Amino acid sequence: MVYIPPLNTEIRRLIAAAGPMPVAQYMSLCLTDPHHGYYVTRDPIGAAGDFVTAPEISQMFGELIGLWAASTWRQMGAPANVRLVELGPGRGTMMRDALRAAQVVPEFNAAAVVHLVEISPVLQRLQQQTLAGISTPVFWHSSLEEVPAGPAIILANEFFDALPVHQAVKQPDGWHERKIAIDRNGNLIFIIAPEPVPHFEGILPPQVRAEPNNSIFEWRTDHVAMEIGRRIARANGAALIIDYGHAESAAGDTFQAVGHHAFADPLAAPGMADLSAHVDFQALAEAASGMGVSVYGPIEQSELLERLGINTRADTLKAGASRSDVVAIELALQRLIGHGRTAMGTLFKAIAFADPKVGVPPGFER
Ligand code: SAH
């Protein structure tokens, strides 16, 4: 048998051999290392896991996304074949609820083939179980590039926040990459690279360039957003991306760890806690629009769900429910569209990309 060292050991070995590690490389190893990565080795979602996502809070979320997809397909000219793609489908709950709700447009369900992009074998198995009963064909891929070309509707909820993020810290002589090193006592610590990143100011939006020293700026590679844009602009289609983050690029350290529903130290237990960082919607929009798509939003999650009819849907569900279920539906609704600190309505945002011929996607009308 081949001995595979634990991730903590592996990360220390890499740092000892190659020097301090960029935050993005650390995040990538922690989340998706093929042996020990957080997502690769477990189902982190739900009450017993580390965090709860919108589709797990209520069936209403996936149902409204399903209706969004069916209406968008009509706006696309109802192509006879459409790839219904989801990036990072978690337990498969959103897709199951979406397909059930979209049965009100049978022609859409008949045209759709589901393509799930999922890196985790554990979650792929769960998705298989969740979607076992449905008649729509389902295929799995480990990257968007593997999904066949053609008209597509691409969905992603809480996917981009899990993609590796780089950090740079402003110093008097420029922006220096933030990295992870080992201190004298053997602990993982953050450090600032001695040399500034060359030409970094050139990629910064003006509002970030003006920030004071010690400000942190986070960025991701744009390849997924560009690949979405490229597909949609060439082959007819639209994308709906929902995540937590900021509408405009801004300075700030949002790299965080969450374990058992509480914030934790991101360096404490590599591979054992969920790592994420806020999504920069301005950067996403710029990457996709560079490929020729029209961009709509970002708007707040509450706005999208209200425009798609979540209040009516909640009333319908409540009409046939027991008293305790009515309370549960109301609580779920408040978590999804409420504006408080523990609710998702404001922090979470939605952005849509579409082939310019498709017009304004549902929920994004001004
Ligand atoms: N959309 C789901 C799950 C969100 S968690 C929900 O809302 O419940 C993030 C999901 O993205 C998980 O399914 C995780 O395994 C997947 N994922 C993370 N990084 C990925 C990558 N680089 N490629 C493909 N899938 C990835």
Side-chain angles (χ1 to χ4, degrees):
M1 232 176 82
V2 184
Y3 172 69
I4 300 162
L7 197 56
N8 208 329
T9 312
E10 178 65 8
I11 285 172
R12 282 156 197 280
R13 207 178 55 77
L14 285 168
I15 294 174
M21 178 181 281
V23 171
Q25 186 187 354
Y26 176 80
M27 190 171 169
S28 166
L29 285 168
C30 288
L31 293 182
T32 58
D33 174 83
H35 299 294
H36 303 293
Y38 174 78
Y39 280 115
V40 177
T41 51
R42 79 201 69 211
D43 165 24
I45 305 161
D50 288 324
F51 58 91
V52 176
T53 56
E56 305 295 334
I57 289 173
S58 168
Q59 67 184 79
M60 295 185 285
F61 187 82
E63 289 170 347
L64 294 173
I65 303 295
L67 298 177
W68 185 91
S71 312
T72 300
W73 172 76
R74 281 213 176 110
Q75 286 182 221
M76 286 163 60
N81 293 296
V82 65
R83 287 127 198 82
L84 184 57
V85 183
E86 185 178 355
L87 308 177
R91 295 178 151 187
T93 309
M94 183 176 103
M95 186 54 79
R96 182 196 62 200
D97 293 339
L99 290 171
R100 189 183 58 247
Q103 282 170 357
V104 296
V105 186
E107 311 79 26
F108 169 71
N109 270 22
V113 171
V114 172
H115 292 272
L116 301 179
V117 176
E118 175 57 68
I119 207 164
S120 163
V122 174
L123 290 174
Q124 277 198 13
R125 273 196 296 280
L126 257 174
Q127 292 152 19
Q128 271 160 12
Q129 287 166 16
T130 306
L131 298 172
I134 65 155
S135 54
T136 318
V138 185
F139 295 94
W140 276 267
H141 312 273
S142 55
S143 76
L144 178 57
E145 283 77 3
E146 292 171 16
V147 176
I153 294 174
I154 302 176
L155 307 170
N157 184 59
E158 288 209 41
F159 171 74
F160 281 87
D161 68 80
L163 296 184
V165 75
H166 289 269
Q167 291 189 322
V169 185
K170 187 170 181 183
Q171 298 289 284
D173 63 344
W175 292 77
H176 295 233
E177 182 146 24
R178 199 169 184 227
K179 294 188 174 180
I180 291 154
I182 305 171
D183 73 3
R184 237 181 279 142
N185 303 319
N187 299 315
L188 295 178
I189 51 161
F190 288 107
I191 58 132
I192 299 175
E195 297 298 324
V197 184
H199 312 297
F200 192 70
E201 303 251 326
I203 67 156
L204 285 180
Q207 72 269 25
V208 177
R209 228 175 287 160
E211 291 286 341
N213 283 338
N214 295 320
S215 298
I216 292 182
F217 180 67
E218 299 174 331
W219 77 98
R220 292 181 164 89
T221 62
D222 288 330
H223 73 271
V224 182
M226 288 169 73
E227 177 65 12
I228 293 174
R230 195 183 64 80
R231 283 172 176 260
I232 287 173
R234 279 206 190 153
N236 188 7
L240 177 61
I241 295 164
I242 303 175
D243 220 312
Y244 48 96
H246 32 275
E248 289 184 358
S249 300
D253 176 12
T254 72
F255 181 51
Q256 63 181 31
V258 170
H260 305 296
H261 303 270
F263 288 109
D265 172 2
L267 304 186
M272 307 297 284
D274 179 43
L275 298 180
S276 68
H278 283 201
V279 171
D280 180 342
F281 282 91
Q282 182 180 344
L284 269 191
E286 283 168 8
S289 69
M291 306 308 287
V293 298
S294 301
V295 175
Y296 303 92
I299 58 177
E300 290 178 355
Q301 171 167 305
S302 55
E303 200 176 347
L304 176 72
L305 295 180
E306 279 168 343
R307 285 179 174 189
L308 296 180
I310 195 166
N311 288 306
T312 313
R313 183 66 188 127
D315 289 342
T316 311
L317 286 174
K318 281 194 278 187
S322 67
R323 261 176 68 175
S324 64
D325 284 352
V326 168
V327 173
I329 293 163
E330 274 165 7
L331 283 174
L333 182 65
Q334 277 322 305
R335 273 189 86 181
L336 291 177
I337 66 170
H339 297 287
R341 257 171 26 91
T342 53
M344 293 177 153
T346 309
L347 176 60
F348 279 71
K349 308 203 167 48
I351 196 168
F353 305 140
D355 179 339
K357 292 189 291 291
V358 171
V360 184
F364 289 87
E365 307 81 5
R366 257 189 272 273

